[in-house]
Amino acid sequence: MAIFVAYLCVVSLIYNTMLVPNPLMTWAPGLIFYLPLIVFSVFDLFEVSIDEVAGGFIAAATFCVFLAMLDQVSNMAALDQFVRVSAFDSGLRRLVLAKTEQAFSVVLLVALFFRTRSFLVKAIVVPCGLALLYVLVVLTESRLVLGASGIGLVIYVSYHLRSQFKVVVLIAIAAAAVVALPFVMEKYAAVFQNIDLLNSDASVQFRNLEQRFFAGYFDNTYGLGFGFMHLNENLDNIQSFAMFRAGQLFGAVNYPVSLGDIGIYGALYQFGYLGLAFTIVLTVIVIVDLMRAGRDVNNPSHAACGAFGSVALAFMLSPLPMNYFTLDWTVAFGGTLWYVAARSHEFRLRRRMPMRSGTVPAHANSIEKGC
């Protein structure tokens, strides 16, 4: 991961000093967005366990669900910056808060429900999960997140859950889908009935525009990419222009043209063909290690690993695969998933390593603490 961060810096240095010379302060501060990629060192310093990471995701998602539901009653002005236009209901106050954390937490809560033996914990998990689903379906309205949650849940249940529960849970999911189908069809009917969805849906159209916008800049970088830049409304660089001014070119005044909307394509445009290869390889390593750890019942955190791996894989199956490693708003997930995968991998290696009597493997506490 340290080598990858160094590569991101090299690409940015070459583009901003040789291809399109820019003052240092117009791009170098952008590095701060990528520091979460090396969060491994911080988590390791504080001996954070895999289960504690999972608990952090659930706590963040639950807090944001509480805010979203409270906002429906009181219209909190402080949350106005998180309001987005609804593609289905013009009168809806669509609030988008921590949607990626919510997608992971849906499956993490299911994993926790089946892992814990505490009736009290189960009694808390159920209403939290229902509230989370309500906010995802009714208020967040992100089809990519909903798809990742649903597919991730099916992957987790099919691949990681014990056989005695698997059939029951799959039947319960199917029953819940049948119950929810009338509501979903009523709300999204216009979109589902639109045969030419890929050309007429406003969200898809705008993402196509964003992709072409950044591709135009990428074509002039000789396949290297334009690297990271400092996001400041007063600066004249590619990303600042895209974020604060480019929307008006497409009739969307005050709406950002964002790399975050185009998923893994952002890795290509920002850091070139090698950066895209880096991103894909890192993602594959993370998913394989997490899915493998989820099947290892000897790993005390196998449930959390399986949940993380299932949702990470589900996000990659979308039309715009998730980019965990080069988008400024997802690198925190990338660094965290890398840490969880590394810890699960280390646990597997430690079990295979012959130990002398009385020796304790390195990082044993960081793996087992809190599990």
Side-chain angles (χ1 to χ4, degrees):
M1 190 58 68
I3 294 172
F4 181 53
V5 173
Y7 169 76
L8 305 186
C9 293
V10 169
V11 170
S12 305
L13 177 67
I14 293 175
Y15 179 84
N16 288 285
T17 60
M18 299 174 62
L19 298 183
V20 181
N22 284 308
L24 183 67
M25 292 308 295
T26 66
W27 62 274
L31 173 62
I32 194 171
F33 290 115
Y34 297 90
L35 294 183
L37 284 174
I38 53 177
V39 72
F40 185 102
S41 300
V42 179
F43 283 178
D44 188 51
L45 176 65
F46 290 99
E47 298 184 346
V48 177
S49 73
I50 294 174
D51 283 359
E52 286 171 336
V53 174
F57 270 72
I58 293 173
T62 303
F63 177 70
C64 290
V65 165
F66 169 76
L67 286 181
M69 297 182 74
L70 183 62
D71 179 74
Q72 292 298 296
V73 179
S74 61
N75 273 16
M76 301 169 66
L79 299 179
D80 287 349
Q81 61 181 310
F82 301 106
V83 175
R84 301 291 183 269
V85 177
S86 172
F88 309 99
D89 183 359
S90 58
L92 175 69
R93 180 176 165 86
R94 180 188 172 218
L95 202 62
V96 179
L97 285 169
K99 59 182 181 180
T100 309
E101 289 92 336
Q102 292 177 24
F104 277 98
S105 294
V106 167
V107 185
L108 285 168
L109 283 171
V110 171
L112 177 60
F113 180 87
F114 284 101
R115 177 186 170 183
T116 184
R117 296 180 179 178
S118 168
F119 177 79
L120 177 61
V121 173
K122 291 179 186 289
I124 295 173
V125 164
V126 171
C128 285
L130 293 175
L132 178 56
L133 286 175
Y134 168 78
V135 170
L136 272 176
V137 174
V138 178
L139 302 182
T140 302
E141 280 191 351
S142 173
R143 284 161 284 179
L144 294 180
V145 171
L146 283 172
S149 301
I151 295 172
L153 183 56
V154 172
I155 292 173
Y156 177 78
V157 171
S158 303
Y159 192 73
H160 296 293
L161 205 57
R162 293 179 182 176
S163 56
Q164 61 263 41
F165 299 125
K166 190 173 299 183
V167 174
V168 175
V169 176
L170 288 175
I171 292 174
I173 293 173
V178 170
V179 172
L181 188 61
F183 168 78
V184 174
M185 286 301 296
E186 179 182 356
K187 183 171 185 179
Y188 301 120
V191 173
F192 290 150
Q193 292 171 2
N194 193 336
I195 298 175
D196 197 22
L197 173 64
L198 293 179
N199 293 320
S200 60
D201 181 76
S203 178
V204 175
Q205 281 185 333
F206 198 75
R207 280 171 168 77
N208 289 335
L209 291 173
E210 290 172 317
Q211 198 166 330
R212 291 198 294 269
F213 175 85
F214 288 111
Y217 287 99
F218 174 70
D219 290 341
N220 297 319
T221 67
Y222 306 101
L224 180 70
F226 48 77
F228 56 72
M229 297 178 184
H230 184 32
L231 293 178
N232 187 301
E233 189 172 1
N234 299 317
L235 293 178
D236 185 21
N237 61 51
I238 296 171
Q239 292 190 60
S240 291
F241 174 71
M243 183 63 65
F244 300 107
R245 295 182 290 278
Q248 59 189 346
L249 298 177
F250 308 114
V253 180
N254 297 326
Y255 197 83
V257 174
S258 173
L259 280 167
D261 285 342
I262 57 177
I264 206 165
Y265 292 100
L268 171 63
Y269 299 147
Q270 213 174 352
F271 299 107
Y273 294 107
L274 185 55
L276 176 63
F278 251 124
T279 300
I280 292 173
V281 169
L282 293 174
T283 303
V284 169
I285 290 173
V286 162
I287 292 174
V288 169
D289 273 350
L290 290 176
M291 294 294 283
R292 183 181 296 174
R295 300 276 287 183
D296 183 4
V297 294
N298 293 310
N299 187 329
S301 298
H302 69 92
C305 290
F308 277 122
S310 297
V311 182
L313 175 58
F315 266 118
M316 297 306 295
L317 300 177
S318 69
L320 290 171
M322 176 69 84
N323 177 354
Y324 297 110
F325 295 105
T326 70
L327 296 180
D328 54 8
W329 73 277
T330 60
V331 291
F333 295 107
T336 302
L337 289 175
W338 186 263
Y339 175 81
V340 173
R343 278 287 169 262
S344 65
H345 184 76
E346 185 180 40
F347 177 85
R348 187 166 64 254
L349 292 179
R350 185 162 61 88
R351 285 180 55 220
R352 295 176 181 174
M353 186 184 304
M355 293 187 299
R356 296 190 302 271
S357 177
T359 61
V360 179
H363 304 301
N365 291 332
S366 64
I367 296 171
E368 295 177 353
K369 178 185 176 185
C371 293

